[in-house]
Amino acid sequence: MFNRHNIIVFFSFTFCVFAQGQKKIDSLLNIRATSNVDSIKLKAINKIASHYIYRDIKKAKAYAYEQQALSDKLNKIEFQIKASHHLAVIYNILSKHDSARFYIDKTIKLSKEANNLEQISISNHSLANLEISLGNLDKAEEINSKNLEFNKAINDSMAIALAYDLESSIFIQKEQYQLALKSVLNSLKILENLNKKIRIADAKNKIAIIENSLENFDSSIEYSLQALKIYEEFEDIEYQSQICNILGISYKFKKDYDKAKEYFNRSISISEPNDYLSILIVSKSHLIDIYMESKDYGAAKKLIDECKEIASSIGYDTMITYSNIRLAKYYSNIGLYIQTQELLNQLLMNDKLELESRANIYLTKSETFKLQNNFKEALSNYELYKKYQDSTLLRNNKSQINELRIIHKTEQKEAEIILKEEEIKTLNAKAENDKLSKILYGGGAIAGVLTSGLLFFGFRQRMKKNKIEREKQEEIYKQEIDFKKKELASQTLHLVQKNTFIQELKENLEKIKKSPELFKIEFRRLVMLLKKESAEDKDWEVFKSYFSEVHNNFDQKIKSIAGDITEKEIRLASFLRMNLTTKEIASMLNVLPDSVLKSKYRLKKKLALEKDMDLTQFLNSL
């Protein structure tokens, strides 16, 4: 993900940095050109560099270096810090990670010398963002978590909001979308209170990404357009480029290819001249798929070559692999089967290949053999594809299970904090009452004081005893919930694996029908095995039992809203409550994804939800 890197400028006239028009920047440029006072010139250059970072990255870079040279000459450490931070942000935007790290480290070092705690926090934010860019998510989470606690300690609302925003980015990368949404909503709430419009756009941008990842494309488009409008108002071209990518992806998956191409090309028109390479490569990669789908292989091949060149220049190994798989598909589609298989076999020799990439390679090999009527090799490679696809599904389910675990721990911690706060309030109220009693009855009522002391002692003893009993009950309840959540997660995983297995059997059965030799040997055995796996519905009953206990009688709640709801619709609602994707639900129910989408529409209608109300969010609120 592409995150806004925090730019803080310290002197008084920075409040309108993003809202400056041409008149303001012309005034600053005039000061830079005509002022004989270096300190005034330095302040102007600092403002100019800040102004151009999200408007013209090349100009921003030139002015940041000029700022660095002048601040070194004047030995102004506060502006050395700002110049170094500007360069760190610029190189991060340009995907020059080594240079970005150098300037982040330099900024932190200078900030420590100046005891500038605020800038240290800002630089740690940039460092965590850099680790996200490099795929070091655990490291990024560690840095950002410490930074969040630091910002809370110094009560810096803006920094807290930015830390929550970055936390959301990390959860998105980990495919933990509930946690990501919770974090970005925390950020959005603070930003709305602070009335930081450009940052509100960033938060809506993040929500659009989450909705896109959850295949809620209409909702993603809605948030994207809201963010885009603000970015246009603030002339923020970097984030215009990024949000156009999100819009393009949403329209692509809605199969509105004309709209998708419009937004991808708009993103390219901004990112290409400004060297926003990480954004540029995303647009071009998605356009490859659209051109391949429409059989415009010449346009696809041109973009494949461009993507490989860009990915190599920024060391983006995953995108290099992605581009080579697309190149293999291109060869296959134009009939160059030998080149296809040679390229794919070469890719498979990489021991560090990701599971998704390995699965896609075997699928491409299978499709290529099928085009050559080599059904034996096609089936063999398809089975390998399913193997790695299942491994990917298992990993994703583990991620979802881990997300449930984190949510539970967070909720438990929040409940403990609330309980402690209530106990403190109770004790404070008691202390106030005691103080009042002493004032009222202190004049000679020694016996009364002793009696009150004894009563208070007894009251405290009862409170202590009750607290111990309550803690025991809470621990028992927590253990039961933990066990049931583990069982629920286990049952969910089992259902996914079972239905994936059944789907695979059906697909293999279709292939066997085309081969008389395999048909005679395998048909009867596969049919019996399929019947055995599909015969009973006990797995659903076990799942429903655990789900109901963990989610507080969810089925009864939904029946109270729609009395005519069917068992199948309750099952769909439960899977949505578990935040499973449309594809995963389709696999579990043995139907096509389109059928799931239609069922979701009917369920939403039966629950009498407004058109703009998101079904999954509503179910999560029950």
Side-chain angles (χ1 to χ4, degrees):
M1 296 299 110
F2 310 102
N3 298 285
R4 178 177 302 278
H5 314 286
N6 194 21
I7 304 279
I8 303 289
V9 190
F10 300 93
F11 48 93
S12 62
F13 54 88
T14 61
F15 71 96
C16 57
V17 64
F18 284 105
Q20 291 171 345
Q22 191 60 44
K23 184 176 179 181
K24 181 66 176 179
I25 194 64
D26 287 345
S27 174
L28 290 168
L29 289 168
N30 183 57
I31 292 170
R32 167 187 169 271
T34 61
S35 177
N36 294 321
V37 181
D38 284 342
S39 60
I40 294 175
K41 182 184 291 188
L42 182 56
K43 289 181 179 181
I45 296 169
N46 178 65
K47 283 290 294 177
I48 295 167
S50 295
H51 174 85
Y52 279 122
I53 279 185
Y54 296 107
R55 294 175 170 90
D56 189 327
I57 198 74
K58 293 177 181 177
K59 285 184 179 179
K61 183 179 175 183
Y63 285 118
Y65 273 118
E66 184 178 347
Q67 177 187 359
Q68 183 184 56
L70 187 53
S71 61
D72 286 345
K73 174 185 173 183
L74 299 176
N75 197 27
K76 296 279 190 181
I77 190 168
E78 67 271 28
F79 287 101
Q80 288 174 328
I81 291 170
K82 292 167 189 172
S84 184
H85 179 62
H86 281 159
L87 289 166
V89 172
I90 290 164
Y91 280 117
N92 215 350
I93 292 172
L94 295 173
S95 301
K96 303 294 184 182
H97 299 133
D98 290 341
S99 296
R101 188 181 295 278
F102 171 82
Y103 281 106
I104 291 171
D105 291 342
K106 181 178 179 180
T107 307
I108 292 174
K109 180 182 178 182
L110 290 170
S111 299
K112 287 180 177 178
E113 289 177 12
N115 196 30
N116 189 334
L117 299 180
E118 186 178 21
Q119 183 60 53
I120 292 172
S121 171
I122 294 167
S123 296
N124 280 326
H125 180 90
S126 295
L127 183 60
N129 188 60
L130 175 62
E131 296 295 352
I132 293 174
S133 301
L134 295 170
N136 303 326
L137 300 181
D138 290 338
K139 183 67 174 175
E141 188 171 9
E142 178 186 352
I143 295 168
N144 190 61
S145 180
K146 290 179 180 178
N147 213 30
L148 176 58
E149 292 306 313
F150 172 77
N151 294 329
K152 286 179 179 179
I154 64 175
N155 198 28
D156 187 338
S157 297
M158 187 64 190
I160 292 169
L162 293 174
Y164 277 130
D165 182 82
L166 197 62
E167 184 178 69
S168 178
S169 295
I170 295 167
F171 286 135
I172 288 171
Q173 292 286 335
K174 290 186 174 184
E175 299 180 355
Q176 295 174 341
Y177 300 116
Q178 284 190 72
L179 292 170
L181 185 59
K182 182 178 180 181
S183 296
V184 74
L185 290 177
N186 284 338
S187 178
L188 182 59
K189 183 178 180 180
I190 297 170
L191 294 169
E192 286 176 338
N193 289 334
L194 295 173
N195 196 28
K196 297 291 185 180
K197 197 171 182 181
I198 189 70
R199 299 292 183 181
I200 290 170
D202 292 345
K204 291 187 175 183
N205 182 353
K206 197 66 56 66
I207 295 171
I209 293 169
I210 294 168
E211 293 285 27
N212 187 286
S213 301
L214 294 173
E215 301 179 16
N216 300 324
F217 300 120
D218 289 335
S219 179
S220 178
I221 289 169
E222 181 182 348
Y223 279 107
S224 296
L225 290 173
Q226 290 175 16
L228 179 59
K229 185 178 179 181
I230 298 173
Y231 292 143
E232 289 172 341
E233 178 184 341
F234 281 78
E235 302 175 7
D236 187 336
I237 62 170
E238 184 205 352
Y239 273 71
Q240 287 179 45
S241 179
Q242 189 217 337
I243 204 69
C244 283
N245 257 331
I246 303 303
L247 284 162
I249 293 168
S250 294
Y251 281 115
K252 173 189 167 186
F253 283 106
K254 284 170 65 71
K255 298 194 181 300
D256 188 343
Y257 294 135
D258 289 337
K259 272 283 188 183
K261 286 195 287 186
E262 175 189 334
Y263 280 108
F264 285 135
N265 285 322
R266 181 175 171 183
S267 178
I268 290 170
S269 71
I270 299 170
S271 58
E272 200 155 40
N274 286 284
D275 291 332
Y276 300 152
L277 300 182
S278 296
I279 303 176
L280 179 64
I281 199 169
V282 172
S283 299
K284 293 193 173 187
S285 296
H286 282 286
L287 279 174
I288 291 170
D289 295 336
I290 293 174
Y291 286 131
M292 294 279 270
E293 182 75 18
S294 61
K295 303 188 187 308
D296 188 349
Y297 299 127
K301 176 62 165 60
K302 180 175 180 293
L303 288 175
I304 290 168
D305 292 341
E306 290 174 3
C307 283
K308 286 179 67 176
E309 183 179 349
I310 296 168
S312 297
S313 71
I314 61 177
Y316 197 168
D317 293 338
T318 301
M319 193 57 74
I320 293 172
T321 301
Y322 176 96
S323 300
N324 277 319
I325 294 172
R326 266 54 194 173
L327 180 59
K329 287 187 176 183
Y330 163 78
Y331 286 146
S332 180
N333 285 326
I334 65 173
L336 300 176
Y337 302 128
I338 295 175
Q339 288 91 326
T340 302
Q341 298 296 354
E342 285 179 350
L343 178 55
L344 293 173
N345 289 334
Q346 182 181 348
L347 292 174
L348 287 170
M349 294 173 66
N350 182 2
D351 294 334
K352 297 180 180 179
L353 203 61
E354 294 179 353
L355 290 172
E356 290 93 339
S357 296
R358 201 171 288 275
N360 282 327
I361 290 170
Y362 282 117
L363 179 61
T364 305
K365 284 173 69 71
S366 175
E367 291 170 346
T368 304
F369 280 121
K370 184 179 178 181
L371 289 172
Q372 299 174 79
N373 295 321
N374 188 342
F375 298 112
K376 181 178 179 181
E377 286 296 329
L379 179 60
S380 175
N381 280 279
Y382 186 81
E383 288 171 347
L384 288 168
Y385 155 68
K386 292 298 294 182
K387 171 187 172 183
Y388 286 104
Q389 186 190 50
D390 290 346
S391 297
T392 301
L393 182 61
L394 179 61
R395 186 198 65 189
N396 291 340
N397 278 314
K398 285 181 178 178
S399 176
Q400 290 179 2
I401 291 168
N402 188 50
E403 182 175 18
L404 286 174
R405 187 180 297 113
I406 294 170
I407 291 170
H408 172 63
K409 287 182 178 178
T410 303
E411 289 174 349
Q412 184 183 22
K413 185 177 180 181
E414 289 172 350
E416 288 174 355
I417 291 170
I418 292 170
L419 182 62
K420 287 179 180 178
E421 288 175 349
E422 289 301 319
E423 287 178 354
I424 290 169
K425 287 179 183 178
T426 302
L427 290 173
N428 286 338
K430 180 62 182 175
E432 287 297 319
N433 288 335
D434 289 344
K435 183 178 180 181
L436 182 60
S437 297
K438 288 176 182 178
I439 293 170
L440 292 174
Y441 302 107
I446 297 174
V449 171
L450 291 172
T451 304
S452 297
L454 290 171
L455 289 172
F456 179 58
F457 177 75
F459 174 74
R460 288 186 62 185
Q461 289 298 104
R462 287 196 302 275
M463 279 186 63
K464 185 175 180 181
K465 184 177 179 181
N466 290 339
K467 181 182 176 183
I468 292 170
E469 289 299 321
R470 185 173 66 250
E471 287 176 346
K472 285 181 180 178
Q473 290 298 321
E474 286 175 352
E475 183 61 27
I476 293 169
Y477 175 73
K478 183 179 81 67
Q479 290 175 357
E480 289 177 354
I481 289 295
D482 281 347
F483 171 76
K484 286 167 183 173
K485 283 197 173 186
K486 288 177 183 177
E487 289 297 319
L488 173 59
S490 175
Q491 284 296 321
T492 304
L493 180 58
H494 177 66
L495 280 169
V496 172
Q497 290 174 327
K498 172 184 174 181
N499 286 279
T500 301
F501 171 69
I502 292 172
Q503 184 63 32
E504 184 180 351
L505 278 179
K506 288 181 179 179
E507 291 170 355
N508 287 342
L509 201 57
E510 291 296 325
K511 293 180 180 296
I512 290 170
K513 284 182 181 179
K514 299 177 183 178
S515 173
E517 299 80 12
L518 287 175
F519 182 84
K520 292 177 183 178
I521 299 170
E522 297 290 335
F523 184 82
R524 186 183 298 275
R525 183 180 69 82
L526 289 176
V527 170
M528 290 177 65
L529 187 59
L530 186 59
K531 286 181 178 179
K532 180 181 177 182
E533 285 291 327
S534 303
E536 297 181 344
D537 204 23
K538 292 181 180 178
D539 290 324
W540 162 245
E541 293 301 325
V542 173
F543 172 90
K544 189 170 72 170
S545 172
Y546 284 118
F547 186 91
S548 180
E549 292 187 59
V550 170
H551 293 288
N552 298 322
N553 295 315
F554 177 81
D555 55 340
Q556 295 303 319
K557 289 180 181 178
I558 202 168
K559 283 179 181 177
S560 69
I561 299 171
D564 60 341
I565 195 165
T566 66
E567 188 71 12
K568 285 185 178 179
E569 287 168 333
I570 292 175
R571 185 180 303 196
L572 172 62
S574 300
F575 292 154
L576 290 171
R577 181 68 176 78
M578 290 289 291
N579 288 303
L580 297 181
T581 66
T582 298
K583 186 176 180 182
E584 289 169 338
I585 295 172
S587 173
M588 294 175 73
L589 299 178
N590 291 317
V591 297
L592 294 173
D594 285 347
S595 178
V596 175
L597 293 173
K598 291 176 183 177
S599 298
K600 286 169 67 176
Y601 174 77
R602 288 194 294 269
L603 176 59
K604 186 174 181 179
K605 191 173 180 181
K606 184 169 285 189
L607 294 172
L609 299 182
E610 297 291 336
K611 186 177 180 181
D612 58 349
M613 169 65 76
D614 183 79
L615 177 58
T616 302
Q617 288 183 3
F618 172 76
L619 294 172
N620 283 332
S621 70
L622 293 180

